[in-house]
Amino acid sequence: MKKFYFWTAVLLLPFFMSCNKDIQDSKVNLSYNLENDRIIEEGKNLAVNSAVFSVNGGGGNSGSVEVAKAEEYRLAYDYGDGQVTSEDLLYDLPLKREASFSENPMVGYSTNTNVSLKYAFGSIRIPVTGTASLKSISISSVDSRYPLAGSARIS
């Protein structure tokens, strides 16, 4: 009986080893970088194909994360209260933004394991100097089909 168990274990060993290899092969190391000299901040979220990772370390503009192997990779970084689905980033752009608004979402797409992330939205910064005071600035869209605020879907 002991011989039976021994030979059964020996015969099944390659099967278990190949299963383990398949599990390891299903993961890849995905490298990403933030464009425009943006620095990765610790604690911000990075979403890859709807799986969310918390960024550790920070300090540079590139990093890597181990993810499930896929044909394409959709990334979102620093998206705050936005929602990430398997194909979209759903984000609400407020009509009024305070100067201390900290979210600047970035998105990226690639069919390989190197992804560059770009800013999803633009912003305008108007420095004011002198003794005069500025009470408000109004900016409007030339085309009403393209609002400057509201709900956005990035695919």
Side-chain angles (χ1 to χ4, degrees):
M1 191 68 163
K2 289 182 183 179
K3 286 183 181 179
F4 174 75
Y5 288 127
F6 173 75
W7 287 112
T8 303
V10 169
L11 292 173
L12 291 177
L13 186 61
F15 171 75
F16 288 115
M17 290 177 67
S18 68
C19 287
N20 190 29
K21 183 178 185 295
D22 290 342
I23 292 169
Q24 290 174 351
D25 288 345
S26 66
K27 297 275 189 182
V28 294
N29 193 32
L30 182 70
S31 299
Y32 61 92
N33 73 298
L34 308 183
E35 292 189 352
N36 299 325
D37 298 324
R38 174 119 183 238
I39 303 298
I40 296 170
E41 299 174 54
E42 186 166 353
K44 298 282 185 178
N45 285 339
L46 174 72
V48 181
N49 294 350
S50 74
V52 179
F53 302 89
S54 183
V55 176
N56 296 321
N61 68 342
S62 62
S64 64
V65 65
E66 189 174 279
V67 298
K69 188 175 185 177
E71 290 183 19
E72 53 188 20
Y73 302 96
R74 299 172 194 273
L75 279 72
Y77 171 73
D78 191 18
Y79 53 90
D81 292 331
Q83 297 175 0
V84 178
T85 68
S86 60
E87 295 186 5
D88 301 318
L89 167 62
L90 307 174
Y91 192 83
D92 189 44
L93 246 113
L95 185 59
K96 292 184 178 182
R97 284 179 69 160
E98 302 298 322
S100 62
F101 195 75
S102 63
E103 296 170 14
N104 290 306
M106 297 185 87
V107 293
Y109 171 85
S110 182
T111 55
N112 61 46
T113 57
N114 296 312
V115 185
S116 291
L117 286 98
K118 300 174 182 343
Y119 283 109
F121 307 106
S123 61
I124 299 173
R125 185 173 153 205
I126 303 172
V128 178
T129 59
T131 58
S133 63
L134 182 65
K135 292 190 179 197
S136 68
I137 295 177
S138 178
I139 299 172
S140 60
S141 174
V142 176
D143 190 337
S144 62
R145 294 179 296 165
Y146 306 108
L148 299 175
S151 298
R153 176 186 301 269
I154 301 171
S155 298

